[in-house]
Amino acid sequence: MSRQEEFKELLISNFSVDEDTIQEEEREVFYVTDYKDQAFIVFVYDEPNSTIYFQGNDEIIKIENINEDNLFKVENKKKTVFVPIDGKKGLLQDGSSKCDFIIFDDTTICFVEIKLNAISEAQRAINKNRKKALDQIINTVYAFDTQLNKDYKGLKLEGHVCTPKIYPRQNAAWESLAVEFLEEYGIPVYESNVKIFTT
């Protein structure tokens, strides 16, 4: 059994989770959207018509006037596993502030928080939004540490903060937050709207 399968089984045995909450994805490129405080895998991205379709909690949802800037993109060479954390069908429904979803392959678990609805370009607002996202990621890691007794089946942990394109990338403010997070928690974090699994 692969480390990915072992970790998936660990999640199922340690959390009260519906079978359809944990989703396997084999497409080489796919997208995730945040809708009404829950993350969903997009099953159709009609780029020419700026439209996405995804399976909501009770029905198929169609959203128009959307583009890649409003989505989290995943590129992978092998199967990945997607697990929503927040929302009606999320893994952790305790009402506390957690990240939106995790996604993992056989080497890495990514804790992802989507903050694409932010509109302010003021540096203070940007920093506040980034810090809140990092808090949500570490709160989720702590919940997993407790529930799983820090057993991640040898998978590496990393965090991704998905922010609007208006945010400056790789600037000193973000770099400072990322270094501080790594030093305090031992987990690398990235500000990116794309996760590329390379194995």
Side-chain angles (χ1 to χ4, degrees), residues 2-155:
S2 71
R3 287 185 293 180
Q4 181 186 58
E5 287 297 321
E6 287 180 24
F7 187 67
K8 179 182 167 188
E9 291 302 316
L10 189 67
L11 291 177
I12 291 168
S13 65
N14 283 275
F15 291 92
S16 298
V17 60
D18 291 335
E19 197 171 302
D20 62 341
T21 298
I22 297 176
Q23 302 168 44
E24 295 182 356
E25 182 59 67
E26 295 193 16
R27 291 179 289 172
E28 287 190 12
V29 176
F30 65 95
Y31 297 89
V32 177
T33 189
D34 185 44
Y35 178 75
K36 295 187 177 179
D37 297 323
Q38 185 172 328
F40 297 93
I41 293 178
V42 173
F43 65 78
V44 173
Y45 174 34
D46 180 357
E47 191 171 3
N49 293 312
S50 303
T51 304
I52 62 170
Y53 298 86
F54 57 92
Q55 178 63 52
N57 289 323
D58 303 312
E59 62 186 346
I60 293 175
I61 307 292
K62 173 183 177 183
I63 298 180
E64 299 177 309
N65 301 316
I66 196 164
N67 62 42
E68 197 171 283
D69 292 346
N70 306 107
L71 302 168
F72 186 81
K73 182 178 183 180
V74 179
E75 297 180 20
N76 62 302
K77 301 295 181 192
K78 297 181 183 178
K79 175 178 69 176
T80 54
V81 179
F82 168 87
V83 184
I85 300 298
D86 267 349
K88 183 178 177 182
K89 292 198 175 179
L91 193 67
L92 301 172
Q93 299 178 19
D94 60 5
S96 62
S97 185
K98 304 285 192 300
C99 71
D100 290 309
F101 66 96
I102 62 167
I103 189 161
F104 57 95
D105 67 354
D106 56 359
T107 61
T108 307
I109 304 168
C110 302
F111 293 80
V112 183
E113 174 58 25
I114 298 175
K115 292 289 188 196
L116 290 172
N117 58 352
I119 54 174
S120 176
E121 294 183 55
Q123 190 60 49
R124 184 173 177 207
I126 290 171
N127 287 344
K128 183 178 178 183
N129 210 28
R130 287 169 167 165
K131 286 178 183 176
K132 182 176 181 188
L134 292 173
D135 286 345
Q136 289 173 270
I137 288 169
I138 201 60
N139 288 344
T140 309
V141 171
Y142 283 157
F144 273 56
D145 283 354
T146 301
Q147 197 74 20
L148 304 176
N149 199 27
K150 297 186 180 183
D151 182 5
Y152 293 96
K153 299 300 178 191
L155 301 175

